[in-house]
Amino acid sequence: MSQVTWEESRLRNATWEYGSKNKRQRSHDYKFVFEDPHRQLDFIKTSVINGDKMLQKERKTLPIYHYREQVLRAVQENQVVVIVGETGSGKTTQIPQYLHEAGYTKHGKVGCTQPRRVAAISVAARVSREMGVKLGHEVGYSIRFEDCTSEKTVLKYMTDGMVLREMLSDPKLESYSVLMVDEAHERTLSTDILLGIFKDLVRLRSDLKLLISSATLDAEKFSTYFNFAPILRVPGRRYPVEIHYTKAPESNYIDAAIVTTLEIHATQASGDILVFLTGQEEIETVEEILKERIRKLGTKIGELIVCPVYANLPTELQAKIFVPTPDGARKVVLATNIAETLLTIDGIKYVVDSGYSKMKWYNPKTGMESLLVYPISKASAMQRAGRSGRTGPGKCFRLYTINSYQEDMEDNTVPEIQRTNLANVILILKNLGIDDLLNFDFLDSPPQELLRKALELLYALGALNQVGELTKVGRQMAEFPLDPMLSKMIVASDKFKCSNEIITIAALLSVGNSVFYRPKNKKFLADNARMNFYQGDSGDHIALLNVYNSWKENDYSKQWCYDNFIQFRSMKHARDIRDQLTCLVERVGIELTSSLCNLEAMKKAIISGFLLHTARLQKNGSYWTVKHPQKVHVHPSSGLAQVPKRWVIYHELVLTTKEYMRQVTELKPEWLFEIAPHYYMLKDVEDLRKKMPRVAGRPWLKT
DNA sequence: GAGCACTGC
């Protein structure tokens, strides 16, 4: 499929974006709920996902116990084995122990990768208890900012991203005899890169054993990918779940979710409800309406405890979902995708599935990211339904028809590697000596346009040379767990003697969340507090630096954050990243230097990394990007939103209601020639309407 | 004059 049709199909599938038009329409729809409180939805019960029979008989033992010998034989006879173990099979805790008992740890470690930090920690803790050893001794874990292993460690649980970092110093992972890639079906970016690397690695290391653990649906795919590796199936522990679909398509899933929740509450046996929605705003709306409706119904209906949960909700409030429901009451948890895999809530008997979630898409043509409300996949729908059958038989109410499930939904969620900026992925792979990326055997190949865009960027940053090999700068950059533009900014800061300031800015920019807190009812106060960090119109990057340094002067205080409308959680995270970067900077031979008063030096370092992210003011007040010209605007949250500057550099482009530049700083155009003479010529500045000169010679792009 | 799915290094 060509790039254009690929993207168009993505956009067609998306239902709507954030936008004022949409909001009006939706709030109008909400009214409907109040006007017609007796509206009901027609559901059709179609199918039951079967539970496992073993459950009733052998509740006390893990299913995997019966497969010990089979697992060991499969591993002995094959280099690669795919294990299908449903939730609750015990594969993650038991298989590494079996391998240890069978002697696989005599000449190397058994490593087990997890997509998430908490999973790595909790599984390691559990296994160390089972083996009666201290955590960090024979059994340990390794995650970012925390290495809980020792020389004794033979069973090591770690995040998949951590393995990639380990490969910087041990490219063939020679300290391991077995690697188990757990939850491979989740297809995180790191898992996909690992699988690609491992496919090569098993050829180079015939002594290495590889286990891929996946869900049922993807097992064949993994098996085929690894030259038809055998598949071993281990049953899980699951209760049956009844699936109900709506009879007719629902145009408004928010309304439908509310009605369905109330119907379950009024007519179904006790048991808590989990409702899958797409975001915070939606959850707050549904919460409000549900509470209002319940209040109006008064004593006609039992108590309904409404608990919202999403990642940005403070941890204290998130904890509310785990409080057991009192007798006679019912709990309804309104959740984002966070409850699909990350949080497991006991006592859920009913699931209401909107059929949508938010997904981030990166458009390589424009370099813009957007968050779209997007239909979930069948795999995702199964996972959601399964959340109702953890502690007893469950029911799942899907707010879509069986026809749209069967015909419209994709089998699997589009893997992250096909919809994200790949610059960092390329840098990692190049650093591991994988050069021919356009022909690299990915489990699912990213669109060529994504690869090409990433290669182009790395070339512009000087990380790759004319023939596509990693340069010295590129190798330095690869050490940093950051977007390559941020890494380049740090590497360049050496020359401008401001590495100390630049790593602070890089740490803050790489924290996903905004550090500025802006509660709905205190927007004015929050905006005022924010402006205190801007001296004159020095720009958003410097403002971030000011925030961090003020926080530091106030002993990293939580209270200071509250007083200044700063997110404490984000700041702590930035501090951890900053500490890590400080170590790495020394490792790659960059001196820690400070020039706090030299704004020009800092801006030049920033330009070195973000040389492609420049924009120029137009007569009509909007901006035009310099490379790959397109119209963009300064984001209203920027300190420069009210102060037009002729030339700016921006951190990122996001497409929401408009094309916005986020994190903007002014620059002098002559700095561009000084810093990037290979990329900027006088012509670029003089006349933007002329076609941009192309950089000559990128032979590795020829296909 | 904004619009904040979710991980991870």
Side-chain angles (χ1 to χ4, degrees), chain A residues 546-565:
Chain A
N546 292 338
V547 169
Y548 192 87
N549 287 340
S550 310
W551 184 49
K552 187 179 169 188
E553 278 162 29
N554 287 278
D555 302 318
Y556 306 108
S557 137
K558 196 171 185 176
Q559 189 59 47
W560 179 88
C561 287
Y562 289 150
D563 295 344
N564 290 280
F565 290 89

Side-chain angles (χ1 to χ4, degrees), chain A residues 146 493 534:
Chain A
E146 207 184 337
S493 69
Y534 288 84

Side-chain angles (χ1 to χ4, degrees), chain A residues 641-703:
Chain A
Q642 309 299 331
V643 228
K645 297 290 177 192
R646 281 190 60 225
W647 283 85
V648 293
I649 197 151
Y650 59 85
H651 176 238
E652 61 182 355
L653 285 183
V654 291
L655 176 64
T656 53
T657 49
K658 270 186 189 170
E659 297 82 3
Y660 282 116
M661 301 182 277
R662 266 204 207 133
Q663 316 291 4
V664 183
T665 289
E666 186 190 12
L667 67 93
K668 289 208 174 88
E670 54 265 32
W671 294 343
L672 293 173
F673 316 130
E674 179 193 327
I675 293 159
H678 62 299
Y679 227 80
Y680 286 94
M681 301 171 205
L682 206 55
K683 272 184 283 183
D684 288 343
V685 189
E686 283 176 349
D687 191 353
L688 289 162
R689 275 157 303 188
K690 274 185 197 159
K691 202 166 162 27
M692 290 303 124
R694 300 284 293 179
V695 177
R698 287 164 296 169
W700 73 95
L701 286 179
K702 285 176 193 149
T703 44

Side-chain angles (χ1 to χ4, degrees), chain A residues 260-474:
Chain A
T260 307
T261 302
L262 289 169
E263 256 179 53
I264 294 170
H265 186 40
T267 63
Q268 300 282 315
S270 68
D272 297 335
I273 309 169
L274 172 60
V275 185
F276 283 100
L277 297 164
T278 71
Q280 177 178 348
E281 193 191 344
E282 241 171 60
I283 287 172
E284 284 169 355
T285 308
V286 172
E287 181 182 8
E288 222 171 277
I289 296 173
L290 269 179
K291 282 181 174 164
E292 174 69 15
R293 294 275 314 261
I294 288 290
R295 197 183 57 75
K296 278 191 180 162
L297 286 166
T299 53
K300 280 184 276 184
I301 201 161
E303 190 191 348
L304 188 68
I305 303 161
V306 186
C307 305
V309 63
Y310 43 87
N312 261 344
L313 195 72
T315 328
E316 311 89 81
L317 295 175
Q318 278 187 14
K320 220 178 112 187
I321 62 170
F322 297 114
V323 177
T325 314
D327 284 345
R330 193 197 296 269
K331 179 163 71 186
V332 55
V333 178
L334 308 174
T336 58
N337 247 7
I338 196 169
E340 198 175 295
T341 48
L342 196 71
L343 293 181
T344 305
I345 310 152
D346 280 336
I348 298 293
K349 198 175 168 64
Y350 307 98
V351 160
V352 177
D353 175 14
S354 64
Y356 289 94
S357 70
K358 276 187 191 167
M359 216 189 249
K360 208 185 209 170
W361 290 88
Y362 171 76
N363 182 336
K365 268 215 198 63
T366 56
M368 259 181 261
E369 285 184 331
S370 43
L371 201 56
L372 301 173
V373 172
Y374 199 80
I376 61 168
S377 64
K378 287 179 186 140
S380 220
M382 293 288 281
Q383 178 71 24
R384 287 181 175 189
R387 296 317 235 175
S388 68
R390 286 195 63 262
T391 41
K395 288 183 186 179
C396 175
F397 296 87
R398 293 181 169 163
L399 304 178
Y400 39 90
T401 62
I402 186 158
N403 190 55
S404 71
Y405 174 79
Q406 286 168 345
E407 306 299 324
D408 302 341
M409 281 184 174
E410 295 179 47
D411 287 346
N412 287 293
T413 309
V414 178
E416 202 182 350
I417 202 160
Q418 294 187 327
R419 53 186 167 87
T420 198
N421 180 347
L422 294 177
N424 203 25
V425 174
I426 306 295
L427 198 58
I428 291 170
L429 292 175
K430 286 271 181 188
N431 199 36
L432 290 170
I434 298 159
D435 278 316
D436 186 9
L437 291 159
L438 294 178
N439 292 306
F440 184 70
D441 187 8
F442 290 101
L443 183 58
D444 283 305
S445 288
Q448 299 255 313
E449 185 78 19
L450 277 176
L451 288 168
R452 225 173 254 130
K453 180 87 175 184
L455 288 166
E456 199 184 317
L457 170 71
L458 291 172
Y459 175 72
L461 292 176
L464 298 178
N465 64 18
Q466 290 274 331
V467 287
E469 291 163 344
L470 216 57
T471 60
K472 186 187 169 220
V473 167

Side-chain angles (χ1 to χ4, degrees), chain A residues 601-614:
Chain A
M602 286 187 247
K603 286 183 180 183
K604 283 181 177 174
I606 295 168
I607 291 172
S608 309
F610 290 81
L611 73 165
L612 296 183
H613 284 188
T614 50

Side-chain angles (χ1 to χ4, degrees), chain A residues 66-255:
Chain A
H66 305 271
Y67 291 80
R68 184 180 190 275
E69 300 314 316
Q70 262 177 274
V71 170
L72 288 174
R73 203 182 319 126
V75 174
Q76 197 192 337
E77 289 169 4
N78 302 279
Q79 195 180 6
V80 185
V81 179
V82 176
I83 303 243
V84 178
E86 298 295 344
T87 322
S89 63
K91 59 182 181 341
T92 314
T93 56
Q94 302 309 306
I95 291 178
Q97 293 188 62
Y98 298 164
L99 294 165
H100 172 54
E101 289 153 15
Y104 283 95
T105 48
K106 278 184 193 142
H107 305 288
K109 291 184 288 252
V110 170
C112 178
T113 74
Q114 295 293 320
R116 284 172 294 278
R117 297 160 53 91
V118 272
I121 300 174
S122 60
V123 174
R126 167 89 190 259
V127 172
S128 73
R129 275 201 306 277
E130 286 183 16
M131 285 175 57
V133 298
K134 206 172 161 218
L135 184 61
H137 288 190
E138 284 81 358
V139 182
Y141 65 88
S142 173
I143 56 175
R144 190 181 188 182
F145 310 130
E146 207 184 337
D147 181 8
C148 183
T149 62
S150 63
E151 282 181 2
K152 283 187 194 168
T153 304
V154 288
L155 300 189
K156 184 165 165 184
Y157 290 90
M158 53 201 160
T159 42
D160 42 22
M162 205 61 205
V163 185
L164 287 172
R165 299 234 64 89
E166 260 189 37
M167 292 187 87
L168 286 176
S169 49
D170 183 7
K172 289 186 186 169
L173 292 171
E174 275 165 311
S175 66
Y176 296 88
S177 60
V178 186
L179 283 158
M180 174 164 164
V181 181
D182 207 1
E183 316 286 356
H185 59 275
E186 285 193 26
R187 305 290 308 275
T188 67
L189 190 58
S190 303
T191 304
D192 270 22
I193 304 168
L194 274 186
L195 291 174
I197 293 170
F198 286 175
K199 190 171 176 177
D200 265 355
L201 196 59
V202 288
R203 273 195 291 257
L204 295 171
R205 278 195 56 196
S206 55
D207 61 318
L208 181 73
K209 298 287 188 180
L210 189 59
L211 283 150
I212 310 292
S213 115
S214 115
T216 321
L217 290 174
D218 310 281
E220 296 289 340
K221 181 170 186 155
F222 288 116
S223 166
T224 311
Y225 182 64
F226 284 103
N227 300 316
F228 302 97
I231 301 172
L232 192 67
R233 295 176 199 274
V234 182
R237 287 173 149 186
R238 235 182 16 198
Y239 291 88
V241 173
E242 271 179 32
I243 307 286
H244 301 251
Y245 295 90
T246 55
K247 217 171 191 174
E250 276 300 316
S251 58
N252 182 336
Y253 64 80
I254 294 172
D255 174 35

